[in-house]
Structure formats: C-alpha cells, structure tokens
Amino acid sequence: MNTVTLKILFMIAVGAGIGYATNVIAIIMLFRPYKPIKFPLIKWQLHGLIPKRREEIAKSIGETVKNELISMEEINSQLLTDENKRKLVDAIKAKVKTVVAEKTESIPFGLGSVVSNMVDDIVEVELTIFIYDQSEEMINDMTKDIDIGQMVEDKINQFELKKIEDIILKVASRELRHIELLGGILGAFIGLIQGIIVTLI
C-alpha cells in the first residue's frame, strides 16, 4: 500500500473519528451537565440544553398537550356518554335498592317489597332525569378550573433531570444512535475529500 493511499485512509479515519465523537458529545450535552459549570475568566458557562431550558420545554409540552392533543372538554365529552350516564344511574339504583331492602326487611305482609319497588321506580325516573339533565353542567363546573397543560408542565418540572434523560433516551435511543453514526459517516466522507485534495496539491 503506497503512501498516498495510507494518507487518504488516515484522513478518512481521523474524519470519521472526529465526526462521530462530535455528535456523541453534542448528544451528551443535550442533558449534561445538569447544573451549570461556570468559567469566570471568560464569563461563560457550560450547561446542558434540556436542563437549561427545562421550564420552557415543560411549558411548551403542556401547551401542546392542552391545545393540540387533549382538553377538558374532550375528557368531559368522553365521561358524559349515554352509556356512562346509564351505568351511573344503574350503580346508584343498585345501592339505593340495597339500603332500602335492608331498612324495610322487618316490615310485615310483604309491604317492604312494595316500598322497595316504589322507591326503585321513583329513583329510576328522578335520577335518570337528573343525571341526563344536570350531569354535564355539574361536571363542567367541577372541571372548569382544571388545567391539563399546567398539570403536565408541573409534572415535567417535578421530574428529576436523570429521569427526563432516561425517558428521552428510551424513546429516541435508535434515532440518537443513527445521528452518532451519521456523524462518523459524514466525517469519513469529509476526510476522504480532504485526503484527495491534499494528494492533488
């Protein structure tokens, strides 16, 4: 193998190494250091991008979830389906029927059963009217002060930075690995071009 080939291969290896290492460091610096490292003489500090902009990122995610993904109105509409209203009526009826049966079991001549059935019919009619007419307004009143976006933002801000890092790496580990490898490939290509240029000069 002649000197020119060795020189080009060397340039390719150096370029690949630099490109790969640069991307690895860049990805690490998305998360690290968690706390800023200050350099007093040059008035500059080293701080991971995500830790540094954590509150902005949390706010942005919260707003996205609230405005683009899910809102309390959508949650309420899922809660207030006819099926759920019917289930609620049936659950309350069953509880009332059990209590009434216990309280009237000592009434003689089968009157307890008559009372129980009367109460059951009243509860069925009145409760159904109430649930179907008032439940939407009640749930909207109870949930009007709930801010999904703020809840998401607060939760993200409560996470330890290590946990945020682990979540992101778990979700995007393959893509981040591809970025690292792409850095090596691009570095190798640049090294090849440089090697060719050097040999031609």
Side-chain angles (χ1 to χ4, degrees), residues 92-155:
I92 296 174
K93 272 182 60 183
K95 182 64 178 177
V96 170
K97 190 170 186 176
T98 300
V99 173
V100 170
E102 291 174 355
K103 299 297 182 183
T104 59
E105 63 182 357
S106 59
I107 299 177
F109 309 116
L111 292 177
S113 178
V114 173
V115 172
S116 179
N117 289 334
M118 286 177 58
V119 171
D120 190 52
D121 290 341
I122 293 170
V123 169
E124 167 69 26
V125 173
E126 297 301 326
L127 188 59
T128 300
I129 293 172
F130 177 78
I131 293 296
Y132 278 77
D133 289 351
Q134 303 295 325
S135 59
E136 184 170 351
E137 183 179 348
M138 288 174 59
I139 290 180
N140 285 335
D141 285 343
M142 288 187 291
T143 59
K144 66 182 179 181
D145 294 327
I146 297 175
D147 188 336
I148 292 290
Q150 189 64 49
M151 290 170 62
V152 171
E153 179 182 344
D154 291 342
K155 191 66 177 178

Side-chain angles (χ1 to χ4, degrees), residues 32-64:
R32 309 291 181 99
Y34 294 148
K35 296 182 179 179
I37 299 173
K38 297 181 180 179
F39 299 90
L41 296 178
I42 56 176
K43 295 182 179 180
W44 185 72
Q45 65 179 20
L46 184 64
H47 197 187
L49 176 64
I50 290 175
K52 183 178 181 179
R53 303 187 63 185
R54 173 179 178 165
E55 291 184 2
E56 295 175 50
I57 294 170
K59 185 175 182 63
S60 177
I61 293 173
E63 289 177 349
T64 300

Side-chain angles (χ1 to χ4, degrees), residues 4 12 32 67 72 75-76 97 120 125 149 157 169 199:
V4 172
I12 291 173
R32 309 291 181 99
N67 297 327
M72 283 309 303
I75 293 174
N76 290 348
K97 190 170 186 176
D120 190 52
V125 173
N157 281 326
L169 290 177
T199 56

